Protein backbone atom coordinates (compact mmCIF):
# COMPACT_ATOMS: atom_id res chain seq x y z
CA UNK A 1 0.00 0.00 0.00
CA UNK A 2 1.05 3.55 -0.54
CA UNK A 3 -0.55 6.90 0.01
CA UNK A 4 0.54 10.31 -1.16
CA UNK A 5 -0.53 13.85 -0.43
CA UNK A 6 -0.47 16.48 -3.15
CA UNK A 7 -1.24 20.18 -3.17
CA UNK A 8 -4.57 20.68 -4.93
CA UNK A 9 -4.98 24.23 -6.28
CA UNK A 10 -8.41 25.81 -6.72
CA UNK A 11 -9.26 28.26 -9.47
CA UNK A 12 -12.33 29.87 -10.98
CA UNK A 13 -11.93 29.26 -14.72
CA UNK A 14 -8.11 29.39 -14.85
CA UNK A 15 -7.16 25.82 -13.88
CA UNK A 16 -6.25 24.66 -17.40
CA UNK A 17 -4.08 27.74 -18.04
CA UNK A 18 -2.38 27.31 -14.66
CA UNK A 19 -1.67 23.61 -15.26
CA UNK A 20 -0.31 24.34 -18.73
CA UNK A 21 1.92 27.02 -17.22
CA UNK A 22 3.23 24.67 -14.51
CA UNK A 23 3.89 22.02 -17.16
CA UNK A 24 5.89 24.59 -19.16
CA UNK A 25 7.96 25.34 -16.05
CA UNK A 26 8.48 21.82 -14.65
CA UNK A 27 7.86 19.60 -17.69
CA UNK A 28 6.04 16.33 -17.16
CA UNK A 29 2.68 14.92 -18.12
CA UNK A 30 -0.51 17.02 -18.10
CA UNK A 31 -3.87 15.30 -17.55
CA UNK A 32 -7.20 17.15 -17.58
CA UNK A 33 -10.77 15.94 -17.05
CA UNK A 34 -13.49 18.51 -17.70
CA UNK A 35 -16.92 18.53 -16.09
CA UNK A 36 -18.27 17.41 -19.49
CA UNK A 37 -15.73 14.54 -19.69
CA UNK A 38 -16.86 13.30 -16.27
CA UNK A 39 -20.59 13.65 -17.02
CA UNK A 40 -20.91 16.12 -14.15
CA UNK A 41 -22.16 19.30 -15.89
CA UNK A 42 -24.36 21.36 -13.60
CA UNK A 43 -23.88 24.66 -15.42
CA UNK A 44 -23.50 24.41 -19.22
CA UNK A 45 -21.24 27.50 -19.20
CA UNK A 46 -18.75 25.51 -17.08
CA UNK A 47 -18.84 22.24 -19.04
CA UNK A 48 -15.32 22.68 -20.45
CA UNK A 49 -13.77 23.83 -17.19
CA UNK A 50 -11.42 21.52 -15.28
CA UNK A 51 -13.07 19.15 -12.81
CA UNK A 52 -9.75 17.42 -12.16
CA UNK A 53 -6.31 18.03 -13.56
CA UNK A 54 -2.70 17.44 -12.70
CA UNK A 55 0.90 17.83 -13.80
CA UNK A 56 3.33 15.08 -12.82
CA UNK A 57 7.02 15.43 -13.71
CA UNK A 58 9.85 12.91 -13.50
CA UNK A 59 11.60 15.34 -11.13
CA UNK A 60 8.98 14.58 -8.48
CA UNK A 61 6.95 17.75 -9.03
CA UNK A 62 3.22 17.02 -8.75
CA UNK A 63 0.33 19.46 -8.51
CA UNK A 64 -3.42 19.01 -8.94
CA UNK A 65 -6.01 21.65 -9.79
CA UNK A 66 -9.65 22.28 -10.60
CA UNK A 67 -12.11 25.05 -11.39
CA UNK A 68 -14.46 25.67 -8.47
CA UNK A 69 -18.01 25.75 -9.87
CA UNK A 70 -19.80 29.10 -9.61
CA UNK A 71 -22.41 27.55 -7.31
CA UNK A 72 -19.71 27.09 -4.63
CA UNK A 73 -17.95 29.85 -2.70
CA UNK A 74 -14.41 30.67 -3.79
CA UNK A 75 -12.01 33.36 -2.74
CA UNK A 76 -8.58 33.46 -4.35
CA UNK A 77 -6.89 34.32 -1.06
CA UNK A 78 -8.94 32.22 1.36
CA UNK A 79 -9.59 28.82 -0.19
CA UNK A 80 -7.13 28.61 -3.04
CA UNK A 81 -5.91 25.10 -2.21
CA UNK A 82 -6.87 21.70 -0.79
CA UNK A 83 -4.66 18.92 0.42
CA UNK A 84 -5.39 15.91 -1.79
CA UNK A 85 -4.89 12.48 -0.23
CA UNK A 86 -4.92 9.64 -2.75
CA UNK A 87 -4.51 5.96 -2.05
CA UNK A 88 -4.60 2.69 -3.94
CA UNK A 89 -7.28 0.79 -1.99
CA UNK A 90 -10.67 1.56 -0.49
CA UNK A 91 -9.58 0.01 2.81
CA UNK A 92 -6.54 2.27 3.09
CA UNK A 93 -8.43 5.45 2.22
CA UNK A 94 -11.37 4.58 4.47
CA UNK A 95 -8.99 4.13 7.43
CA UNK A 96 -7.41 7.56 6.84
CA UNK A 97 -10.82 9.14 6.30
CA UNK A 98 -12.13 7.80 9.60
CA UNK A 99 -9.17 9.31 11.47
CA UNK A 100 -9.26 12.66 9.61
CA UNK A 101 -13.03 12.88 10.26
CA UNK A 102 -12.56 13.16 14.03
CA UNK A 103 -13.80 16.67 14.82
CA UNK A 104 -14.11 17.51 11.11
CA UNK A 105 -16.84 19.19 9.09
CA UNK A 106 -17.86 16.85 6.25
CA UNK A 107 -18.55 18.62 2.94
CA UNK A 108 -18.89 15.42 0.86
CA UNK A 109 -19.20 12.02 2.55
CA UNK A 110 -16.69 9.37 1.50
CA UNK A 111 -18.58 7.36 -1.11
CA UNK A 112 -18.29 6.08 -4.68
CA UNK A 113 -18.19 8.80 -7.34
CA UNK A 114 -18.42 8.67 -11.10
CA UNK A 115 -14.69 9.48 -11.35
CA UNK A 116 -13.34 7.45 -8.41
CA UNK A 117 -14.13 4.27 -6.45
CA UNK A 118 -14.30 6.48 -3.33
CA UNK A 119 -14.24 10.26 -2.95
CA UNK A 120 -14.90 12.61 -0.04
CA UNK A 121 -14.14 16.12 1.17
CA UNK A 122 -13.82 17.44 4.70
CA UNK A 123 -12.42 20.33 6.67
CA UNK A 124 -10.41 18.97 9.56
CA UNK A 125 -10.55 20.37 13.07
CA UNK A 126 -7.64 22.70 12.19
CA UNK A 127 -9.38 24.26 9.16
CA UNK A 128 -7.49 22.33 6.47
CA UNK A 129 -9.64 21.14 3.55
CA UNK A 130 -8.87 17.58 2.44
CA UNK A 131 -10.07 15.89 -0.74
CA UNK A 132 -9.67 12.16 -0.26
CA UNK A 133 -10.01 9.50 -2.93
CA UNK A 134 -8.97 6.16 -4.29
CA UNK A 135 -6.83 6.82 -7.35
CA UNK A 136 -7.92 5.67 -10.77
CA UNK A 137 -5.92 6.09 -13.98
CA UNK A 138 -6.92 8.99 -16.22
CA UNK A 139 -5.91 9.31 -19.84
CA UNK A 140 -5.62 12.77 -21.30
Amino acid sequence: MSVKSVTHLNFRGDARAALEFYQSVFGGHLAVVTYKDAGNVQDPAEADQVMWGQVVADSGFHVMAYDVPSRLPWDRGENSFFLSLRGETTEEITAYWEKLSDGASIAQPLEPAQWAPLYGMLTDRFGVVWVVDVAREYNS
Side-chain angles (χ1 to χ4, degrees), residues 101-114:
S101 295
D102 184 22
S105 171
I106 308 298
Q108 171 64 46
L110 186 66
E111 60 190 18
Q114 190 171 8

Side-chain angles (χ1 to χ4, degrees), residues 13-65:
D14 292 325
R16 183 182 303 272
L19 288 168
E20 289 171 350
F21 171 72
Y22 298 136
Q23 182 188 31
S24 77
V25 172
F26 297 100
H29 176 73
L30 169 67
V32 171
V33 176
T34 65
Y35 287 97
K36 181 172 50 183
D37 295 338
N40 192 24
V41 176
Q42 298 194 20
D43 179 345
E46 298 171 343
D48 292 323
Q49 289 187 355
V50 177
M51 189 180 102
W52 176 86
Q54 70 176 4
V55 173
V56 180
D58 291 340
S59 65
F61 177 81
H62 186 180
V63 68
M64 297 170 67

Side-chain angles (χ1 to χ4, degrees), residues 56-104:
V56 180
D58 291 340
S59 65
F61 177 81
H62 186 180
V63 68
M64 297 170 67
Y66 97 120
D67 286 310
V68 178
S70 60
R71 64 184 163 74
L72 299 176
W74 180 80
D75 181 301
R76 184 176 186 160
E78 287 187 30
N79 55 354
S80 56
F81 76 94
F82 295 151
L83 190 56
S84 172
L85 180 68
R86 309 192 89 197
E88 297 176 355
T89 69
T90 58
E91 296 80 12
E92 176 183 37
I93 287 303
T94 300
Y96 287 122
W97 175 267
E98 289 171 358
K99 292 174 184 175
L100 283 169
S101 295
D102 184 22

